[in-house]
Amino acid sequence: MSAASVFFALLFYAAAAVLLAGIALRVADYARTPAPLKIPTTPAPRTRGGVALRLAREVVFFESLFKGSVWTWIFGWLFHASLLLVLVRHLRYFTEPVWSWVVLVQPLGILVAFGMAIGLAGLLARRILVERIRYISVPSDYLMLALLLAIAGSGLAMKYVFRTDIVAVKAFFLGLLRFDWQPLPADPMLYIHLALVAALMIVFPFSKLLHVPGLFFSPSRNQADDPREARHLAPWAADLERGR
Ligand code: HEM
């Protein structure tokens, strides 16, 4: 085992620990935070089933973004849908045998890789070119887009220019999962791709990317419009009322 293989093995264990523990702690925090007000964005569903459907539409179609800005929706949805398929395609590096539905999406490789890059480029152009968006953009907004673009770029470069031994890459990651370490191919573009991915995993729980679990905890989206049927009272407000 080369020093680089050991470095990447340790890096991915650390990155996975930060990602999983970080998200778990954030989600626990979100779940404990009471919503002080009844504040669903109206028109809103009046039942819990309706709320579930509304959230599902938000997750799958980005419904409220579509109503807000069609251009942002086009690039945002393209990026996320492509990312999903890119990640599903990558499952082949972590499973043996490869699941049949993962095999099914493999031919979409080039399409979704470019879909991801075009979506990200559009979102970056929006931050730079639309004056009122540029005004509210902070360095981390650019950093996340740049990081994701660099991951897509290095992945594409590996696929088409600096090819690596993907069978050995798979053996390395299966080895990590089974605690039976295997060597990683010594290819600089692979090192770059993996280092960027590890960086993404580590910053995720501290970044705006928390909107992924956060969406489900957004009171304006997850509340039913039923304040006439049942009075909304946050636990701390109930305590206050009882004079505690
Ligand atoms: C530990 C996790 C990862 C490993 C082992 C990995 C490995 C690879 C490899 C070996 C390739 C080249 C495929 C080929 O030659 O056919 C590739 C391509 C690519 N990777 Fe990754 N990658 C990882 C995570 C990610 C993540 C998180 C993203 C996106 C955020 C990503 C985006 C891409 C893209 C867009 C391509 C080019 C298109 C494709 O082959 O799907 N990768 N990756």
Side-chain angles (χ1 to χ4, degrees), residues 120-158:
L120 286 167
L123 294 173
L124 187 60
R126 162 181 176 263
R127 285 214 178 266
I128 296 169
L129 300 177
V130 183
E131 213 233 312
R132 52 197 286 278
I133 305 296
R134 188 170 62 230
Y135 183 69
I136 58 162
S137 295
V138 293
S140 82
D141 292 322
Y142 296 105
L143 190 75
M144 288 303 140
L145 288 170
L147 183 57
L148 288 160
L149 262 172
I151 293 176
S154 55
L156 272 166
M158 218 180 347

Coordinates of all heavy atoms in Angstrom, one line a residue, residues 120-158:
L120 N -24.8 23.9 -13.2 CA -23.9 24.6 -12.3 C -23.4 25.9 -12.9 O -23.4 27.0 -12.3 CB -22.7 23.8 -11.9 CG -23.0 22.6 -10.9 CD1 -21.9 21.7 -10.8 CD2 -23.4 23.2 -9.5
A121 N -23.1 25.8 -14.2 CA -22.6 27.0 -14.9 C -23.7 28.1 -15.0 O -23.4 29.3 -14.8 CB -22.1 26.6 -16.3
G122 N -24.9 27.6 -15.2 CA -26.1 28.6 -15.3 C -26.3 29.2 -13.9 O -26.5 30.4 -13.8
L123 N -26.2 28.4 -12.8 CA -26.4 29.0 -11.5 C -25.3 30.0 -11.1 O -25.5 31.0 -10.5 CB -26.4 27.9 -10.5 CG -27.7 26.9 -10.6 CD1 -27.6 25.8 -9.7 CD2 -29.0 27.7 -10.3
L124 N -24.0 29.7 -11.6 CA -22.9 30.6 -11.4 C -23.1 31.9 -12.2 O -22.9 33.0 -11.6 CB -21.6 29.9 -11.8 CG -20.3 30.6 -11.4 CD1 -20.2 30.8 -9.9 CD2 -19.1 29.8 -11.9
A125 N -23.5 31.7 -13.4 CA -23.7 32.9 -14.3 C -24.8 33.8 -13.6 O -24.7 35.0 -13.6 CB -24.2 32.5 -15.7
R126 N -25.8 33.2 -13.0 CA -26.9 34.0 -12.4 C -26.3 34.8 -11.2 O -26.6 36.0 -11.1 CB -28.0 33.0 -11.9 CG -28.9 33.5 -10.8 CD -29.9 32.4 -10.4 NE -30.7 32.9 -9.3 CZ -30.5 32.6 -8.1 NH1 -29.4 32.0 -7.7 NH2 -31.4 33.1 -7.1
R127 N -25.4 34.2 -10.4 CA -24.8 34.9 -9.3 C -24.0 36.1 -9.8 O -23.9 37.1 -9.1 CB -24.0 34.0 -8.5 CG -24.8 33.1 -7.6 CD -24.2 32.8 -6.3 NE -25.2 32.0 -5.6 CZ -26.1 32.4 -4.8 NH1 -26.1 33.7 -4.4 NH2 -27.0 31.6 -4.3
I128 N -23.3 35.9 -11.0 CA -22.4 36.9 -11.4 C -23.1 38.0 -12.2 O -22.8 39.2 -12.1 CB -21.3 36.3 -12.3 CG1 -20.4 35.3 -11.4 CG2 -20.4 37.3 -12.9 CD1 -19.5 34.4 -12.2
L129 N -24.1 37.6 -13.1 CA -24.7 38.5 -14.0 C -25.9 39.2 -13.5 O -26.2 40.4 -13.9 CB -25.1 37.8 -15.3 CG -23.9 37.1 -16.0 CD1 -24.4 36.3 -17.2 CD2 -22.9 38.1 -16.4
V130 N -26.7 38.6 -12.6 CA -27.9 39.3 -12.1 C -27.6 40.2 -10.9 O -27.1 39.7 -9.9 CB -29.0 38.2 -11.7 CG1 -30.3 38.9 -11.3 CG2 -29.3 37.3 -12.8
E131 N -27.7 41.5 -11.1 CA -27.1 42.4 -10.1 C -27.7 42.2 -8.7 O -26.9 42.2 -7.7 CB -27.4 43.8 -10.6 CG -26.3 44.7 -10.2 CD -26.8 45.9 -9.4 OE1 -27.7 46.6 -9.9 OE2 -26.2 46.3 -8.4
R132 N -29.0 42.0 -8.6 CA -29.5 41.8 -7.2 C -29.1 40.5 -6.6 O -29.2 40.4 -5.4 CB -31.1 42.1 -7.2 CG -31.8 41.2 -8.2 CD -33.2 41.8 -8.4 NE -34.1 41.5 -7.3 CZ -34.7 40.4 -7.1 NH1 -34.6 39.4 -7.9 NH2 -35.5 40.2 -6.0
I133 N -28.8 39.5 -7.4 CA -28.3 38.3 -6.8 C -26.8 38.4 -6.4 O -26.4 37.9 -5.4 CB -28.5 37.1 -7.8 CG1 -29.9 37.0 -8.3 CG2 -28.0 35.8 -7.2 CD1 -30.9 36.6 -7.2
R134 N -26.1 39.1 -7.3 CA -24.7 39.4 -7.0 C -24.5 40.1 -5.6 O -23.7 39.8 -4.8 CB -24.0 40.2 -8.1 CG -22.5 40.3 -8.0 CD -21.9 40.9 -9.2 NE -22.3 42.2 -9.5 CZ -22.8 42.6 -10.6 NH1 -22.9 41.8 -11.7 NH2 -23.2 43.9 -10.8
Y135 N -25.4 41.1 -5.4 CA -25.4 41.9 -4.2 C -25.5 41.1 -2.9 O -24.9 41.4 -1.9 CB -26.5 42.9 -4.3 CG -26.6 43.9 -3.2 CD1 -25.6 44.9 -3.0 CD2 -27.6 43.9 -2.2 CE1 -25.6 45.8 -2.0 CE2 -27.7 44.7 -1.2 CZ -26.7 45.7 -1.1 OH -26.7 46.6 0.0
I136 N -26.3 40.0 -3.0 CA -26.6 39.2 -1.8 C -25.7 38.0 -1.7 O -25.8 37.1 -0.8 CB -28.0 38.8 -1.6 CG1 -28.5 38.0 -2.8 CG2 -28.9 40.0 -1.3 CD1 -29.8 37.2 -2.6
S137 N -24.8 37.8 -2.7 CA -24.0 36.5 -2.8 C -22.7 36.7 -1.9 O -22.1 37.8 -1.9 CB -23.5 36.3 -4.2 OG -24.7 35.9 -5.0
V138 N -22.4 35.7 -1.1 CA -21.2 35.7 -0.3 C -20.2 34.7 -0.8 O -20.6 33.8 -1.6 CB -21.6 35.4 1.2 CG1 -22.5 36.5 1.8 CG2 -22.4 34.1 1.3
P139 N -19.0 34.7 -0.3 CA -18.0 33.8 -0.9 C -18.4 32.3 -0.8 O -18.1 31.6 -1.8 CB -16.8 34.1 0.0 CG -16.9 35.5 0.4 CD -18.4 35.7 0.6
S140 N -19.1 31.9 0.2 CA -19.4 30.5 0.3 C -20.4 30.1 -0.8 O -20.4 28.9 -1.3 CB -20.0 30.1 1.6 OG -21.3 30.4 1.7
D141 N -21.2 31.0 -1.3 CA -22.1 30.7 -2.4 C -21.3 30.3 -3.7 O -21.6 29.3 -4.4 CB -23.0 31.9 -2.8 CG -24.0 32.3 -1.7 OD1 -24.6 31.3 -1.1 OD2 -24.2 33.5 -1.5
Y142 N -20.3 31.1 -3.9 CA -19.4 30.8 -5.1 C -18.6 29.6 -4.8 O -18.4 28.8 -5.8 CB -18.5 32.0 -5.3 CG -19.2 33.3 -5.7 CD1 -19.3 34.3 -4.8 CD2 -19.7 33.4 -7.0 CE1 -20.0 35.5 -5.2 CE2 -20.4 34.6 -7.4 CZ -20.5 35.6 -6.5 OH -21.2 36.8 -6.8
L143 N -18.1 29.4 -3.6 CA -17.3 28.3 -3.3 C -18.0 27.0 -3.5 O -17.4 26.0 -4.1 CB -16.8 28.4 -1.8 CG -15.7 27.4 -1.4 CD1 -14.4 27.8 -2.0 CD2 -15.6 27.3 0.1
M144 N -19.2 26.9 -3.1 CA -20.0 25.6 -3.3 C -20.1 25.3 -4.8 O -20.0 24.2 -5.2 CB -21.3 25.7 -2.6 CG -21.3 25.7 -1.1 SD -20.5 24.2 -0.6 CE -19.5 24.8 0.7
L145 N -20.5 26.3 -5.6 CA -20.6 26.1 -7.0 C -19.3 25.7 -7.6 O -19.3 24.8 -8.5 CB -21.2 27.4 -7.7 CG -22.7 27.7 -7.4 CD1 -23.0 29.1 -7.9 CD2 -23.6 26.7 -8.0
A146 N -18.2 26.4 -7.2 CA -16.9 26.1 -7.8 C -16.5 24.6 -7.4 O -16.0 23.9 -8.3 CB -15.9 27.1 -7.3
L147 N -16.8 24.3 -6.2 CA -16.4 22.9 -5.7 C -17.1 21.9 -6.5 O -16.5 20.9 -7.0 CB -16.7 22.8 -4.2 CG -16.3 21.5 -3.5 CD1 -14.9 21.2 -3.7 CD2 -16.7 21.5 -2.0
L148 N -18.4 22.1 -6.7 CA -19.2 21.1 -7.5 C -18.8 21.1 -8.9 O -18.7 20.0 -9.6 CB -20.7 21.4 -7.3 CG -21.3 21.1 -5.9 CD1 -22.6 21.8 -5.7 CD2 -21.5 19.6 -5.8
L149 N -18.5 22.2 -9.5 CA -18.1 22.3 -10.9 C -16.7 21.6 -11.0 O -16.5 20.9 -12.0 CB -17.9 23.8 -11.3 CG -19.0 24.4 -12.1 CD1 -18.8 25.9 -12.3 CD2 -19.2 23.7 -13.4
A150 N -15.8 21.8 -10.0 CA -14.5 21.1 -10.1 C -14.7 19.6 -10.0 O -13.9 18.8 -10.7 CB -13.6 21.6 -9.0
I151 N -15.6 19.1 -9.2 CA -15.9 17.7 -9.1 C -16.3 17.1 -10.4 O -15.9 16.1 -10.9 CB -16.8 17.4 -7.9 CG1 -16.2 17.7 -6.6 CG2 -17.2 15.9 -8.0 CD1 -17.1 17.5 -5.4
A152 N -17.3 17.8 -11.0 CA -17.8 17.4 -12.3 C -16.7 17.4 -13.4 O -16.6 16.5 -14.2 CB -19.0 18.3 -12.7
G153 N -15.9 18.5 -13.4 CA -14.9 18.7 -14.4 C -13.8 17.6 -14.2 O -13.4 17.0 -15.2
S154 N -13.4 17.3 -13.0 CA -12.4 16.3 -12.8 C -12.9 14.9 -13.2 O -12.2 14.0 -13.7 CB -11.8 16.3 -11.4 OG -12.8 16.2 -10.4
G155 N -14.2 14.7 -12.9 CA -14.9 13.4 -13.2 C -14.9 13.2 -14.7 O -14.5 12.2 -15.3
L156 N -15.3 14.3 -15.4 CA -15.4 14.2 -16.9 C -13.9 14.0 -17.5 O -13.8 13.3 -18.4 CB -16.0 15.5 -17.4 CG -17.5 15.5 -17.6 CD1 -18.0 16.9 -17.8 CD2 -17.9 14.6 -18.7
A157 N -13.0 14.7 -16.9 CA -11.6 14.6 -17.4 C -11.1 13.2 -17.2 O -10.4 12.6 -18.1 CB -10.7 15.6 -16.6
M158 N -11.5 12.6 -16.1 CA -11.1 11.2 -15.9 C -11.8 10.2 -16.9 O -11.2 9.2 -17.3 CB -11.5 10.8 -14.5 CG -10.5 10.0 -13.8 SD -11.0 9.6 -12.1 CE -12.3 10.6 -11.7

